[in-house]
Amino acid sequence: GPTDGTGGLAGSPQVWRDAIANGVTNGRGGLGLIYTWAAGNGAFAQGIPDDVDNSNYDGYANFYGVIAVGAVGDDGRRAFYSEAGANLWISAPSMGDNNHGITTVDRTGAAGVNDGAQPGDYTNPNYTNTFNGTSSSTPLVAGVAALVLEAAPGLTWRDVRLVLARSARQNDAFDASWFTNGGGLKFSHKYGFGCIDAEAAVAVALTHTNVGPLLSETTPDSAVNAPIPDNNATGVSDVINVVGSGINFIEHVEVRFDADDHPYVGDLDIRLVAPSGTESVLSERNFAVNQASSYDDWVFGTNVHLDEPADGAWTLVVRDLGANDTGTFKSWGLRIRGRN
């Protein structure tokens, strides 16, 4: 995936998106493959008090066909590096603030991370206790997905996602980031639907009934063409009305957004408000070091609105929260996937 810690945008190539779309459509005899993807390790940068990267700046991690995975430490709290995002689905254990990594096998002998002489690591060089990052939490989710499919092999890829969301544990429950969406599910931009719970996931899978066909509704782009007020907390907003979609239970929302003449993505705070009133934080002001990228028909992904209805007024609010750089909210549109 893209380099972490830049605060800039990095899209995924069409060939990769086509491959994922093919896998979820045709894999496992039409039930669909399960793709887990690391949410990213770029939240932290030395000397910067706020998050630098957001997982939604990663065109791999915010794609509808993957499960984006964040990291929590053994204290149950977000790892300092783990990127927040409306595109997160779930979190899993990894190295956190206590610097306790995950044990796993290593390359044989001295060729791997552990050569047998690393302070605090195992004397047996075939193992290490330092596996960390969202690269470590992600395969744990893949392992739980495998357990779920062993228990209920007839689940589709979408049903596995729903099982993991509905069985997730609300870790760090008193954190202010938690809220209940319009579908009755708890969500956090730090954790997604919570921390993976293998026992609960298998139990839910055994009683889960597969959902109906995947529906998709794509709106025409709304040509806003309005200047974004510089260093202004009010910003500019626009509304798109979705009517007759047939989607009563959302599973994923894509937001196409164009403000390609704004030279500094780090100034922009972008939020999607659903008909239910639930808010997806798509981008927050950050101190981006990669100023070369711009919102040139960028596609955000959000899972915040899982199980909410699609029809109604959707509002996109764009605010510039830094001085000097200006630009135009040119256009936006929606693609909503879900079921009736």
Side-chain angles (χ1 to χ4, degrees):
T3 302
D4 287 327
T6 70
L9 308 174
S12 56
Q14 186 64 51
V15 64
W16 180 88
R17 296 193 296 274
D18 289 345
I20 300 297
N22 179 62
V24 298
T25 302
N26 299 312
R28 289 194 305 129
L31 294 176
L33 301 181
I34 315 303
Y35 294 101
T36 59
W37 195 268
N41 304 329
F44 173 80
Q46 192 70 42
I48 297 178
D50 300 311
D51 284 10
V52 174
D53 260 343
N54 185 293
S55 187
N56 230 326
Y57 305 157
D58 179 339
Y60 297 82
N62 69 13
F63 191 62
Y64 81 97
V66 307
I67 295 171
V69 182
V72 299
D74 54 7
D75 58 358
R77 302 177 65 184
R78 180 173 71 137
F80 62 90
Y81 50 79
S82 185
E83 296 175 26
N87 60 301
L88 291 186
W89 193 266
I90 204 160
S91 297
S94 185
M95 185 188 78
D97 293 351
N98 294 328
N99 293 322
H100 299 152
I102 298 294
T103 289
T104 187
V105 293
D106 199 5
R107 292 181 65 189
T108 303
V113 172
N114 180 18
D115 60 7
Q118 299 300 315
D121 212 338
Y122 299 117
T123 56
N124 185 336
N126 298 337
Y127 303 88
T128 180
N129 60 19
T130 64
F131 192 29
N132 62 67
T134 53
S135 294
S136 177
S137 55
T138 301
L140 292 182
V141 172
V144 174
L147 287 174
V148 164
L149 288 175
E150 184 178 18
L155 296 180
T156 71
W157 69 279
R158 293 164 51 225
D159 291 292
V160 171
R161 288 164 60 95
L162 292 172
V163 164
L164 295 182
R166 291 169 179 170
S167 61
R169 177 172 51 85
Q170 188 188 6
N171 60 297
D172 196 11
F174 295 105
D175 189 85
S177 64
W178 285 104
F179 60 90
T180 301
N181 75 1
L185 296 168
K186 293 187 182 299
F187 188 89
S188 161
H189 285 82
K190 291 182 180 180
Y191 302 116
F193 295 103
C195 188
I196 194 85
D197 186 324
E199 184 177 20
V202 170
V204 170
L206 290 172
T207 60
H208 178 83
T209 300
N210 282 14
V211 295
L214 182 65
L215 305 177
S216 179
E217 175 75 11
T218 302
T219 70
D221 282 357
S222 176
V224 183
N225 292 318
I228 305 168
D230 190 40
N231 198 22
N232 181 286
T234 301
V236 61
S237 63
D238 189 62
V239 175
I240 289 178
N241 284 293
V242 175
V243 180
S245 70
I247 298 174
N248 296 317
F249 301 94
I250 292 171
E251 295 178 25
H252 187 267
V253 179
E254 290 179 0
V255 180
R256 304 182 302 279
F257 175 66
D258 189 6
D260 62 1
D261 63 349
H262 196 291
Y264 189 60
V265 298
D267 278 357
L268 296 185
D269 180 288
I270 305 169
R271 303 183 181 226
L272 177 70
V273 183
S276 66
T278 306
E279 181 177 271
S280 286
V281 180
L282 304 179
S283 175
E284 296 181 276
R285 192 190 180 202
N286 67 78
F287 297 93
V289 297
N290 178 8
Q291 299 185 37
S293 59
S294 66
Y295 285 113
D296 184 1
D297 289 326
W298 181 255
V299 178
F300 292 106
T302 173
N303 298 310
V304 169
H305 309 287
L306 183 65
D307 283 353
E308 295 182 356
D311 286 4
W314 293 79
T315 304
L316 193 69
V317 182
V318 182
R319 301 185 297 162
D320 183 318
L321 299 181
N324 301 322
D325 298 299
T326 60
T328 309
F329 179 0
K330 291 187 175 180
S331 66
W332 73 294
L334 293 167
R335 183 170 185 178
I336 304 173
R337 293 179 174 89
R339 61 193 188 280
N340 60 23

